[in-house]
Amino acid sequence: MRRYFTSDLHLGSSKVLEVYKRPFLDNIQMTDNLILNCNEVAKDKDDVIYHIGDLYCLKDDNGRPGLFMPWKETKKRFIADVLNIQGNHDDNNGVKSIGSSVRLTIGKAFNVVLCHYPSYDERSKIHLKPGDINICGHVHTLWNGEKYYVDKVNKILNINVCIDLWNYQPVSEVTLVNYIKKILGEMWY
């Protein structure tokens, strides 16, 4: 079993195409391509994709059309198991989330928290403590294209795994561990 991490797929959302200028013609093409990209990296039925919030748009996204296929049907298109952590757009889409945060160890080296919100967002406060590494989403490309943010006030390293920043593919555990090592190495100098 291999583990992968991503966030903010917003499958089926017309709104996200407009706001984040994703390179797809419409929400159907975006959904098809993002699922294909997930299946290209997480290709075994024993693989797991941890999706850290805002997975799916069913029927309506603030007045814009979303997918009309229920999540149960869309999920069958993924090879790997998709485990969703609750995001702010996951309230009414039919996706069962495994929680609003998850603590786990990656690469046998790092204890991390999977939480949709970065550490400076009030909604993350109950999930995080000083010294945590927070694997998050929510901000898409708002950190000027950077994939991490050091929250010096709360002493938390935030890693943004939003699909928009990682070539529209989930990030493997190995890549994520190496990325964290690189950032921590740079921080000590």
Side-chain angles (χ1 to χ4, degrees):
M1 173 188 89
R2 292 169 301 195
R3 299 189 293 184
Y4 298 86
F5 304 84
T6 194
S7 75
D8 299 284
L9 266 67
H10 290 274
L11 296 175
S13 171
S14 297
K15 180 183 175 187
V16 80
L17 286 171
E18 297 167 26
V19 175
Y20 297 104
K21 306 205 181 337
R22 289 185 175 175
F24 308 105
L25 296 175
D26 56 31
N27 63 359
I28 304 292
Q29 185 191 56
M30 177 184 73
T31 298
D32 290 345
N33 278 276
L34 292 180
I35 292 172
L36 178 68
N37 290 353
C38 288
N39 289 338
E40 284 180 359
V41 295
K43 10 180 150 189
D44 191 289
K45 65 179 176 66
D46 293 328
D47 290 345
V48 173
I49 298 172
Y50 286 95
H51 185 275
I52 307 169
D54 295 355
L55 176 57
Y56 185 71
C57 176
L58 178 63
K59 296 185 183 167
D60 183 68
D61 190 10
N62 293 332
R64 294 171 177 92
L67 282 181
F68 292 95
M69 182 185 295
W71 169 244
K72 192 166 89 173
E73 297 302 313
T74 303
K75 185 175 181 174
K76 292 177 186 175
R77 297 175 58 193
F78 288 88
I79 296 170
D81 193 13
V82 179
L83 302 177
N84 191 57
I85 284 82
Q86 180 79 30
N88 58 304
H89 289 278
D90 290 323
D91 288 335
N92 62 356
N93 60 12
V95 177
K96 290 194 172 147
S97 298
I98 60 173
S100 52
S101 73
V102 172
R103 286 188 175 270
L104 55 92
T105 302
I106 61 172
K108 299 178 183 174
F110 298 108
N111 295 317
V112 300
V113 178
L114 310 181
C115 178
H116 182 61
Y117 308 102
S119 60
Y120 53 79
D121 188 300
E122 280 301 314
R123 294 168 285 191
S124 72
K125 301 293 185 211
I126 61 169
H127 306 292
L128 300 170
K129 61 182 193 262
D132 278 343
I133 298 172
N134 183 32
I135 310 301
C136 66
H138 186 62
V139 295
H140 291 262
T141 59
L142 294 180
W143 295 340
N144 296 321
E146 290 293 330
K147 296 175 183 171
Y148 75 96
Y149 173 80
V150 179
D151 180 348
K152 293 179 182 176
V153 172
N154 295 302
K155 297 181 174 78
I156 295 171
L157 173 61
N158 295 275
I159 307 291
N160 184 358
V161 293
C162 179
I163 198 87
D164 299 295
L165 293 177
W166 296 87
N167 201 28
Y168 299 100
Q169 293 183 321
V171 183
S172 73
E173 181 173 0
V174 171
T175 299
L176 191 57
V177 166
N178 288 333
Y179 187 67
I180 292 169
K181 285 178 183 176
K182 179 181 180 287
I183 294 165
L184 292 177
E186 291 171 359
M187 289 172 57
W188 291 110
Y189 300 105

